[in-house]
Amino acid sequence: MNRADLLPRRIDWWIVLLAATIALVGVAFVHSATTGTDDEGLARRQLVFLAASVVGAAVAVVVPYARFHRGAASLYVLALLALVAVLFVGAVINGARRWIRIPGAGFLLQPSEFGKLAVVLALASWLRFRDRASGFDGVVVPALITAVPAALVFVEPDLGSSLVYWPILFAICYAAGAPVRALSWLFLAGVLVIAVGWFTVFHEYQRSRAEVWASHFGWDRTTIDTDPAVRQVLLDDGYQPWQSLIAIGSGGLTGFGYAQGPQNRFDFLPYRAGDYVFAVVAEEFGWLGAVGLLAAYLALVLALFLLAMRTRERFGRLLVVGVATWLGTQAFLHVAICAWFLPAKGLPLPLVSQGGSVTLAAALGIGLCLNVGARREPVLAADGFR
Amino acid sequence: MSRSRILRLVAIFVAVAVALAAGLFDIAVLDRDEWLERSLRNRWAFRDVPTRRGAIVDAGGVPLAWDVPGFDLELRYATFREEHPLAICVHGANLAHAARDGHERYDLLAPERAREALRDLLAIPLAWLRDPAAWPLALRLEPPVEDLRRELRFHVGGAVAALAGVSRWRLAAALHAEVFGEGEGDVTAALARIARRGDVAGFTVVAPSDAEARHELVERCLAALDQRIVELRALDARLQRALADGSTFELFAFLDERRLASREARRLASLPEAESSALADAGFWAWLAESSVPWHEWPDWRGWLSLPQDRRAELVRAFATERARRIAERAEDWFDAGSARPALFAPLPPDRKVPRFEDERRPRRVLARLPHELAMWLALIAERQPGFLLRASVLRERGRVPGQVDLGSLASVVGSVGSYAPEGRTPELDAARVLADEADFARRADEAAAGLELAESVTDALRSRAESALRAHYGRLGRIGRSGVEAAYDEILAGRPGLRFVERDKRARELRMFENLDVAPGADVQLTVDLRLQVLAERALGELSPEREKALVVLDAQSGDVLAIVAQVWRKDDPQPQWSTGAWAPAFNPYVGSVAKPLVALEFLAALRADPALGAPAAFPDCGGKPAPYDRRRRLRCGEVHGAGARDTVHAIAESCNVYFFRVADELGAERIRAGFARFGWASPGAAAGGVDGSPPAIDGLPSRQWQAPRLRPAGFVLPMQAIGYGVEVWPLFVARAYAGIATGRLPELRIVRSAAAGQGAALPFDATDFAPVRAGLAACVETGTARAIATSARRLALATGLRLFGKTGTAEVTADGTLNNAWFAGFVGEGHDARLAFAAVEYRTDDHGGTSAAPIVARFLDAMLDDPELSARWLGGRPAPRDGARHR
């Protein structure tokens, strides 16, 4: 019996089941969100992406993950090159330059999604031998590893995706044993950078969205109905999150039913196959459906964390922690943005939102995690013997 | 690396997930009703459908007032300025110029200048769209500078997108990327780069180089703008041709007026704090310190605020001028600097978002009653003229013949309609109508909501929206009867507007209909007035001494139907007499004089029959024509010497002998005279003798306030004078009614609308022996008596129809010196079952007498009737009579 024969038995099928369920739910809701619109057919396209992602995940499972460890630096550099390239040759869509057109392929590649995976690999690889490292090795270098691609993503501009990088950094460093104090300083530095950036590099529309978000907590029903300034905002910067809130709120406990959500059907909800797909879920299946999807994500994240806890090999463990944090953070941010708990940002829901890059990147990440779980790599770090 | 750290991460994720679930629960479950209501607001709409108001027609079915469905052209200026390239260019360039040197440069009066505006927009440096510091006069901008850059990007992208026919949002996004991607050059350069790269579908250029691409882009935009201007001019020309009445309409002046209103609407009141902040930001205080302005005039900020407004404005203007000069010196090669004339300082509160053209969202009517052909053309070109709306409407037409809008003397009878106004002249009527309609709509909304199992709060909101839709409907198309039959029969005429309760998508396309409240058109109302008789009455009135105030009323003696009702008023400063309501409403003292005598005679004859003790006419003194003392203060007399005629009822009526009626008054007493008038509706039966009001108006279907009741005001007149009509204020309508009673023995109920239930009238308590001498006197009055001037007409009538003409003249002195009279003539055609018409004519304040001024009015009217075979047959039942000359031969 060779190693390949054992692999299927060692795979954590719960993770596969959860991911597959979430992905199929995603296809269903992309279909619901695009039926009868100019984007009809995106669900079929998403199925194709999903199939490609399954293949990619399978490759990620089969290839021994030690090779990813060895290639982490190369992958990271490759991702950086792609992120730099997108600034020069990227296609502009909705005012942002986030995609590289693949000639002849008929689709666009979003490097920032793969950049997250590359950062996870790079951080896990860097911190593999740095138990309880603080200072330069344990915090500063990982921060730089994260900051470079995050900055490039920010410049695109894609503030939402650039924000996802930072929880990954903190989670991996924390899991790697970085002192909380060092991480606190890092956090404070991050806050300072954001504060400075607010006045210097943040775009006007980004500030405006944040201002609208902050002000919306002070609106009451009368203000919304009578204040012309507020009504104007709701037609302008506040339009997307407001319509998303209406979709979520009007769904009630059980929702309007599949493909019956009025905000979805009547085109009031923008970008509903991508950045606001969770609002479609909530509108059509209500709070129960929304929480169900949220629970599925939580279960997936918990399963990944459990896998990390079971993994004694340090690179693999950090890799799984990074992927779990990435998927969990992005999913929860997406939900929070849809419910306007956070300012409006364009952030897809991994495995659910329409899009090849985000699906493939998430599938690759999960595939790598399954790879880690399925293998019994020799524990090379001292930490593994504790 | 401990597992506990991973567990802590797990705990964080679980906590976040729980928090998110709780937050979602708050939104989706606890606040569900509110969000559901907002979802409904998005997609549910009430669409009103105008109804047709019923027509008012005459007795022969000729329409007098009717509705014509049509189309109105309206303009929603906010849409026009946001989507029409002409407006975008003008507003955008003005915004830029105002920000630069304080004044606007373009208007919509000369649309060709929009080419320059477009060139200005395309020449804006990208840095200006990126960097607030690049703005020269940013301190006084409307909107504030942080909104300004967005506004300008909106205008630049919108103009080019509209001209190129591409998605404005995609182009704006691409332009946004250029602006914040540190693109160099001006807007044209950025657009050329976008076009050459093909970032926006459909927005491309074929030129190989940047310079050529710029040129191609500008030329294409200008050509497209020229085309849009040509199209707008074509619209202007079509509208001009549509003005059939010779009036003119300046479309571009209208647009520019709205432009100014739109701009003004955005000018919010400045706040002192904002002024302070803006001035500080702009370096005003520093400038003030360095300048020669004597700023010791104020010690601190409060002192500044205490300065007169003019002084503050003067200082700020000086500052702005200096600032503009400095900026102009270092200005980039952009616009021609021109004369920097700073506008008044009007900063906005810095923390406020500027509502974009908020006040101009409401559509305003451009032209009403568009010809059908033009309306269809507009519908076809609607996409090319954003902001212009074609709206279905209805218009109330009035007239007697096609093309003639004047209703003449019937205008006050038909009345008028007015727009719905809660504060209108008849609030109680409006409120009743609106409440009734709202209740209906609300019921429909409730029904729809019940079918969808909505919460009560949501149905309340739904009801509110239905009511709002109704109010909007009445605000736009609502018409309500304000006077005359239009008001009295408003419930019947108005009908009910339709309402569609629909579900729509974001683009306002109706996808589903919940309820359709059908339009209920108003019912027609038919007047008893015969338009042709009305015209004859008008002519009869107008042909004789037109400078007098007079009236003529003709009734169907049997039914009380008003067949013609005409009154005219003449004022010294107006060469033409005007139609008035003098036939039924008071203009001044309307004493009836001797036309009251037959009523008194009937009462006396009936009293005499019942009470032989009363003094009979045979015992009355002769009429000597001399004044006789009545009491210590007064002397009464008859104007003529009637001799023994004063002892004969027939003669007394025919010759209008006052002495006879003085004696009758003495015999009857005040109470019985008043009772006699009351039997004919000239007084209230139960009223006290001292101040007797008239009986309530009894004109079926008409509001009482428009019809003045007859009344007795005996104060100042001794009893005998009351018996000859002094102190008796009655209008022609009620005089004619009383004579209809004398003709038929039954006092008819007046009716001016045929659909109203016809009443039987009230039988008068007189028998044939009472009526006979009175009617004989009335016939003699026409043939040989005081109205003998129209004996010829009476004879012609008798020849033509076999009907006798009965009448009584009256001449009531209405001035103390006796120089001016109310000259009356009232009577009827035929008697008993053969009675056909009753009439009353009056000439107010004339120096003439009833027999020579009022009676000829009736004669002319009857002659004209007899000349018309159809009218004659319809109302007199006879054949056309030969003219006077033929008869004499």
Side-chain angles (χ1 to χ4, degrees), chain B residues 77-78 80-101 103-108 113-125 128-129 135 141-143 147-160 168 187 225 259 262-263 266 334-335 356-357:
Chain B
Y77 191 78
F80 177 71
R81 77 160 285 180
E82 287 175 1
E83 296 181 17
H84 199 290
L86 173 68
I88 303 173
C89 290
V90 167
H91 278 279
N94 277 343
L95 196 62
H97 278 290
R100 179 177 174 274
D101 60 16
H103 72 281
E104 298 178 338
R105 191 164 292 189
Y106 300 105
D107 56 42
L108 292 169
R113 286 202 65 208
R115 287 174 62 91
E116 297 172 41
L118 177 60
R119 283 184 182 279
D120 287 351
L121 281 182
L122 293 175
I124 291 176
W128 287 39
L129 302 180
W135 286 99
L141 289 181
E142 299 168 17
D147 286 340
L148 176 71
R149 289 173 297 148
R150 185 169 52 187
E151 285 282 314
L152 266 183
R153 287 201 302 276
F154 175 86
H155 282 89
V156 170
V160 176
R168 77 182 300 163
V187 167
L225 181 62
R259 177 186 73 85
S262 164
R263 191 192 58 172
R266 299 163 57 220
W334 187 51
F335 309 141
R356 183 181 284 162
F357 335 127

Side-chain angles (χ1 to χ4, degrees), chain B residues 182-199:
Chain B
E182 302 300 322
E184 294 300 322
D186 57 13
V187 167
T188 312
L191 291 171
R193 289 194 290 270
I194 292 168
R196 293 192 69 200
R197 286 197 304 268
D199 286 348

